[in-house]
Amino acid sequence: MATDAETGEYLKTLPPKHLEPLWSQMSLLVPALPKPVAEPHMWEYSEVFPSLAKAGEIVPEDKAERRVLMLVNPSMKAPCTTDTIYAGLQLVNPGETAPAHRHVASAFRFIIDGEGFTAVEGQKLPLRRGDVVVTPAWRWHDHGNESERPVVWLDVLDLPLFTYARVNFAEGYGEKRYPSQPVEASEWRHPWSDTQKALDAQTGDHAVYHYRDVAGEPLARTLGAQAERIGPGTATTATQDIRSFVYHCYAGQGFSMVEAASGGETLRLEWTSRDTFAVPAWSKVVHVNSSETEQAYLVGMHDGPFLDALGLRQSKT
């Protein structure tokens, strides 16, 4: 066996050759538990919206292309809301159009307030509160507002994945609008009325609805979505999932107890209608409806399809 001095001299010879010893970093690269960088965090709509409204006043549409405030996880940098999911709040003023483009990244929109439209590949889809609208990868799309007040929605994309696979790019369309015709029903639009009907048809205090496309598959190859109904004064069963989530409260009030993946501190995230919060991978989570009379509805966007495609899904219940 070499002495410590000999080992030290040996290690000094490696960096000039762009080599490093695995044995000194094994516990970091192959840990005993998942170690997401993201931390649980809440974005209260009452705090965020004034900043978004101000952007609507001072940032013209021709300077922004997409007028969005990114929800950046406190322990990470943009574009990370969790380690694998990006989320942001977008505002389109009356009479404005966010110009047509397409990109490799997949996108979901959850409509928070107001009414507008998203046109996807020739289908002009109405945007109404609670709707989920999908922009599949590399599909032409633009957004607009023909109403008399601003429309606001939550954008959710798989952008953090492209910090590793650097293949995302966008292409602008030659005109501001891609030619489209109005339609009510589309494979890319999921009205809240249908979602709530499916949730309320289930028995019990906790119901889960999984958004699916016309083929019964997740809405995107990298992103999935689910809605949850929590009965008055009740709590969900604790779950621990390798998926990370960006949750949005559609209606109701309550809180989520989120225990870090390492089994450390448990945070209590208080939420009410229009709030958004991040739940990192492998967190132990319990959702609680604090109202004794009203149902609570949450919508969670997650990275399950991406993990499933790689055979990485693990969970505890």
Side-chain angles (χ1 to χ4, degrees):
M1 297 293 293
T3 65
D4 289 345
E6 290 173 327
T7 300
E9 289 301 315
Y10 164 73
L11 293 176
K12 291 178 182 178
T13 69
L14 299 180
K17 302 175 183 179
H18 304 288
L19 301 172
E20 293 185 34
L22 172 61
W23 58 86
S24 66
Q25 301 185 46
M26 182 68 77
S27 61
L28 294 175
L29 298 176
V30 190
L33 293 170
K35 291 188 178 296
V37 176
E39 62 185 61
H41 189 74
M42 170 70 67
W43 289 268
E44 295 181 7
Y45 193 68
S46 61
E47 181 179 3
V48 175
F49 179 72
S51 296
L52 185 62
K54 187 66 175 178
E57 295 174 6
I58 67 174
V59 181
E61 62 172 317
D62 60 338
K63 300 294 184 182
E65 184 166 349
R66 297 296 190 265
R67 188 189 292 111
V68 180
L69 291 182
M70 298 184 289
L71 306 182
V72 182
N73 196 277
S75 62
M76 306 187 76
K77 296 180 179 179
C80 295
T81 308
T82 74
D83 291 77
T84 54
I85 302 172
Y86 156 92
L89 294 181
Q90 182 163 175
L91 181 146
V92 180
N93 281 319
E96 290 184 340
T97 298
H101 68 190
R102 60 182 178 178
H103 42 66
V104 174
S106 298
F108 295 170
R109 329 281 175 192
F110 185 84
I111 314 309
I112 298 174
D113 268 321
E115 295 187 3
F117 69 85
T118 284
V120 184
E121 287 287 324
Q123 297 184 20
K124 186 181 179 184
L125 312 175
L127 305 179
R128 303 188 180 104
R129 176 160 161 73
D131 292 353
V132 171
V133 175
V134 180
T135 303
W138 208 242
R139 300 277 188 165
W140 292 111
H141 60 281
D142 51 77
H143 314 296
N145 184 352
E146 298 169 331
S147 75
E148 296 182 353
R149 64 190 186 96
V151 59
V152 179
W153 63 79
L154 176 72
D155 282 325
V156 177
L157 289 85
D158 50 8
L159 292 179
L161 300 181
F162 298 104
T163 62
Y164 303 99
R166 299 182 183 276
V167 296
N168 185 38
F169 64 99
E171 178 183 2
Y173 188 63
E175 305 292 335
K176 197 168 189 179
R177 291 288 320 282
Y178 186 85
S180 63
Q181 295 294 324
V183 297
E184 277 287 326
S186 169
E187 62 181 310
W188 297 314
R189 178 174 179 255
H190 302 266
W192 176 256
S193 57
D194 294 346
T195 301
Q196 183 169 342
K197 182 178 179 181
L199 288 170
D200 292 347
Q202 299 182 42
T203 59
D205 290 321
H206 183 215
V208 180
Y209 170 79
H210 297 281
Y211 290 86
R212 301 287 184 183
D213 66 14
V214 292
E217 298 295 326
L219 299 185
R221 292 183 179 182
T222 51
L223 294 170
Q226 66 187 50
E228 302 183 40
R229 174 182 56 79
I230 308 165
T234 62
T236 65
T237 301
T239 59
Q240 190 173 20
D241 198 307
I242 202 148
R243 293 176 294 175
S244 63
F245 283 83
V246 172
Y247 273 103
H248 183 82
C249 178
Y250 172 77
Q253 60 184 23
F255 59 92
S256 296
M257 302 300 294
V258 184
E259 181 183 322
S262 60
E265 180 183 6
T266 299
L267 295 181
R268 177 179 169 128
L269 302 179
E270 300 270 358
W271 40 259
T272 190
S273 178
R274 297 173 175 79
D275 290 345
T276 303
F277 59 101
V279 175
W282 210 241
S283 301
K284 187 176 291 185
V285 183
V286 175
H287 303 301
V288 181
N289 182 349
S290 57
S291 171
E292 295 298 328
T293 58
E294 302 292 333
Q295 301 280 350
Y297 295 92
L298 299 175
V299 174
M301 311 297 187
H302 59 80
D303 55 4
F306 165 70
L307 298 172
D308 287 340
L310 298 179
L312 302 177
R313 179 83 75 91
Q314 301 290 334
S315 64
K316 289 184 179 180
T317 55

